[in-house]
Amino acid sequence: MLLKRIFCALLSCMLLLTALGALAEEQEKPAFIMAGYDDTQYRDWNTNEFFARMEEITGVSFSFQQYTELPKWTAAKAAMTRDGELPDVLFKATLSAAESMEMLDRGVLIDLAPYIEENCPNLWQILQENPDYLSAITLPDGRIAALPYINTIPVQNYMWINTAWLETLHLSMPTTADELVKVLEAFQQKDPNRNGKDDEIPMGFLGAFDLKFLAHAFGMICNDYNIFVEDGQVKFMPLEDNFRMFITWCRDLYDRGLLDHDGFTTSNTFRQVTDSDAAATYGVIITTSAADIFRVTWAEDYSIMAPLFYEGTQIYRDFAGNVLRGTFAVTSACKEPEKMLRWVDYLYSEAGAILASNGKETEDYLIDGDGTWHLTDEVKNDPFFSTMSLIDGGATAPGTLAEDFQRRYSGNKYLLEVMNQQEAVNQAAQMPFPYYALTRAQQEEISALQNEIGYYVDMQIARWILSEEEISDETFAAFKTTLDEKGLPAFLAFWQDVLDHL
């Protein structure tokens, strides 16, 4: 009888220990599941320091479903259903407006609009100070499917000019179209790279897309659909009076060799220059980043030109905008959406933005006595620092730019100069058309028209500039007739309807 009691007691203890072990294992298991897309090579969310540091700050941990191939992530989002096994949040979600609306309608995502003010104080303050940001993330029916990344220094398609050539030739920075022409002429004729060769290309560009950014010199900007808004009306830039003047100017530049003669060909390789011993050959280039094109020591010879003046004013196309939408969403499976939003809201604070982009103080960077900062020696010598310790890069994460902090970086004065030059462009930059959201059906409708109209406009620009067609009343009349035949009236009516419902 005694042995039986001892056996029962031992059995009870074993069962208790098993239960406690299972409970401990359950407590150690992250309470939330995060799914998303990150194509940065070698970055593994399971081992990335960013998430471990966020857990220390917020007490929130995740298990991860990380996708490294965009088609697979896109397919995964399309396959999600309300009754399926959903993650709690989508991080680096790359959600388009159409995806957002569809996933809300399927019950996969929850509407975040009722939660933001109370649970996202950092983001809410930004949105209140910038009402257009709030409009940008709000769908036409008032719902908010996802949170954004907010960039106070958005990327533009800049005009980069070789300031070393300006100094060599004792030239000033051009401020008007006429002054730019004089600078390009000097670049062409006076051997500014001092190699004794006639190899200078005054202005490089890639196709009609880049050239249309030069239209600002004639007071015109447009978006990728060649449209802009004026006094509540949608207008088509290629039909504006100044457009013919702009095309005539570009053709004159091309005829005189001031525009790259390979600019309209697929063989243009200026983005692939890698020889650090080569002499610079481009005076002005139109691109987002000269450093991405010229991976050589003389890349720092290029500075961003401020927008040119036209009739005393500056205007420039805002290419990307401050708001990159669709970065973070909460699913209907999440039991504590408030907790998830408080977690992500940290990234909209300066401290959170620094953590995401620069790491942790004392471990990754050091603050100097004058308020500037620099990377630690260990980080500077670690080629895997970004992928192992940061979440910045790859697909866009939620959060914002710690602009003031970035300006205090002492490790590269050129970066500060570029930021100041970017700011000069941003002061003149305007979005040709407000933020909008299209359903998938609307996307299909407008894509069919854009494929016809947009392609035709770009090809006609090339024909005029390459002298394949004369610039005349007759060719412009034929241009207008062909646009109408390709559906321009319906095209403009579509965008007017979108604008009227914003």
Side-chain angles (χ1 to χ4, degrees):
M1 188 69 174
L2 179 61
L3 289 175
K4 185 176 180 180
R5 290 179 178 175
I6 293 173
F7 176 76
C8 290
L10 289 173
L11 181 60
S12 298
C13 288
M14 291 174 63
L15 291 173
L16 178 61
L17 290 172
T18 301
L20 290 174
L23 178 61
E25 183 178 342
E26 185 66 27
Q27 289 175 339
E28 291 176 4
K29 183 180 178 181
F32 301 98
I33 301 172
M34 173 183 287
Y37 167 63
D38 196 332
D39 65 345
T40 304
Q41 191 175 20
Y42 305 125
R43 178 178 288 149
D44 183 346
W45 290 1
N46 290 289
T47 57
N48 188 273
E49 280 293 318
F50 165 78
F51 291 107
R53 290 165 173 171
M54 282 291 288
E55 183 177 353
E56 291 177 4
I57 295 167
T58 66
V60 176
S61 62
F62 294 95
S63 58
F64 300 104
Q65 298 172 359
Q66 179 185 357
Y67 291 76
T68 58
E69 297 178 34
L70 185 56
K72 291 183 178 180
W73 172 234
T74 301
K77 288 183 288 184
M80 290 180 182
T81 63
R82 181 171 187 169
D83 299 326
E85 294 184 6
L86 292 173
D88 293 283
V89 298
L90 307 185
F91 183 82
K92 289 195 167 187
T94 64
L95 286 166
S96 68
E99 284 179 320
S100 296
M101 287 184 272
E102 290 168 358
M103 294 175 79
L104 280 170
D105 292 341
R106 295 202 311 267
V108 172
L109 301 181
I110 66 170
D111 177 14
L112 301 180
Y115 295 90
I116 295 176
E117 181 176 2
E118 182 176 351
N119 298 285
C120 298
N122 293 307
L123 173 59
W124 185 250
Q125 180 177 344
I126 295 172
L127 297 178
Q128 293 304 292
E129 293 171 353
N130 302 274
D132 54 322
Y133 296 179
L134 180 58
S135 297
I137 65 173
T138 303
L139 296 172
D141 60 8
R143 293 180 296 177
I144 296 176
L147 303 186
Y149 175 76
I150 295 173
N151 189 355
T152 55
I153 307 180
V155 173
Q156 311 291 359
N157 205 28
Y158 301 103
M159 299 177 295
W160 296 82
I161 189 167
N162 193 319
T163 49
W165 287 12
L166 291 177
E167 293 174 6
T168 296
L169 300 179
H170 305 291
L171 299 171
S172 299
M173 184 73 72
T175 63
T176 65
D178 289 342
E179 290 178 9
L180 175 61
V181 172
K182 292 179 181 179
V183 167
L184 296 179
E185 290 172 340
F187 285 172
Q188 179 190 55
Q189 300 165 9
K190 297 184 178 181
D191 190 27
N193 64 12
R194 295 299 191 250
N195 66 353
K197 300 178 182 180
D198 185 18
D199 59 354
E200 287 84 0
I201 301 171
M203 178 177 286
F205 68 100
L206 286 181
F209 175 82
D210 281 349
L211 277 186
K212 281 183 280 190
F213 280 83
L214 277 178
H216 82 277
F218 293 82
M220 297 181 297
I221 59 171
C222 67
N223 67 4
D224 288 352
Y225 292 93
N226 295 301
I227 60 173
F228 66 99
V229 176
E230 183 177 88
D231 298 328
Q233 295 296 310
V234 176
K235 296 192 174 182
F236 197 64
M237 190 182 80
L239 296 183
E240 291 296 294
D241 292 339
N242 278 10
F243 185 75
R244 180 170 172 175
M245 186 190 310
F246 163 63
I247 291 297
T248 303
W249 181 71
C250 287
R251 179 162 166 174
D252 179 63
L253 296 181
Y254 186 88
D255 288 345
R256 295 165 59 192
L258 301 181
L259 279 184
D260 188 358
H261 277 197
D262 286 333
F264 287 110
T265 69
T266 56
S267 62
N268 191 342
T269 57
F270 76 82
R271 295 180 185 274
Q272 301 171 15
V273 177
T274 58
D275 183 2
S276 59
D277 295 325
T281 56
Y282 288 93
V284 178
I285 55 173
I286 305 172
T287 187
T288 55
S289 173
D292 288 343
I293 294 173
F294 305 128
R295 297 184 181 279
V296 288
T297 53
W298 41 265
E300 293 189 3
D301 288 342
Y302 288 83
S303 297
I304 297 172
M305 289 174 56
L308 301 172
F309 283 87
Y310 174 73
E311 295 185 347
T313 62
Q314 290 172 299
I315 190 173
Y316 201 77
R317 176 189 170 181
D318 188 337
F319 178 45
N322 297 94
V323 182
L324 300 177
R325 299 175 289 183
T327 66
F328 183 89
V330 180
T331 76
S332 57
C334 183
K335 299 294 192 296
E336 300 181 80
E338 297 88 352
K339 196 169 189 177
M340 295 298 91
L341 290 173
R342 288 193 292 271
W343 180 88
V344 75
D345 187 58
Y346 184 71
L347 301 181
Y348 294 97
S349 68
E350 182 180 60
I354 294 170
L355 182 71
S357 300
N358 305 99
K360 187 175 181 179
E361 186 179 356
T362 70
E363 292 185 23
D364 301 325
Y365 65 88
L366 300 172
I367 303 292
D368 300 315
D370 60 357
T372 61
W373 62 276
H374 64 277
L375 297 172
T376 63
D377 291 338
E378 182 179 0
V379 165
K380 283 191 293 187
N381 297 320
D382 182 2
F384 300 104
F385 165 64
S386 177
T387 55
M388 298 301 294
S389 300
L390 309 179
I391 202 61
D392 193 31
T396 304
T400 189
L401 175 70
E403 181 180 343
D404 180 65
F405 180 79
Q406 303 302 341
R407 288 183 180 277
R408 290 186 278 118
Y409 178 53
S410 63
N412 190 331
K413 293 183 179 179
Y414 175 67
L415 292 179
L416 178 58
E417 293 174 3
V418 169
M419 290 179 73
N420 290 334
Q421 294 159 12
Q422 290 173 318
E423 179 60 27
V425 174
N426 289 335
Q427 288 179 0
Q430 300 178 23
M431 293 188 68
F433 195 93
Y435 290 104
Y436 60 88
L438 302 183
T439 65
R440 198 169 300 276
Q442 287 176 313
Q443 284 182 344
E444 292 172 356
E445 177 185 352
I446 200 61
S447 292
L449 288 168
Q450 172 67 1
N451 289 340
E452 287 285 327
I453 294 170
Y455 177 77
Y456 174 65
V457 167
D458 287 354
M459 290 299 295
Q460 188 60 39
I461 288 173
R463 292 188 189 102
W464 276 322
I465 294 174
L466 295 174
S467 296
E468 293 178 2
E469 286 192 16
E470 290 300 317
I471 300 174
S472 64
D473 292 343
E474 291 74 18
T475 59
F476 263 82
F479 177 59
K480 173 65 166 63
T481 298
T482 303
L483 285 170
D484 288 342
E485 292 172 350
K486 290 182 177 294
L488 183 62
F491 182 85
L492 293 177
F494 174 94
W495 287 114
Q496 187 66 52
D497 184 64
V498 170
L499 178 67
D500 292 343
H501 286 86
L502 291 179

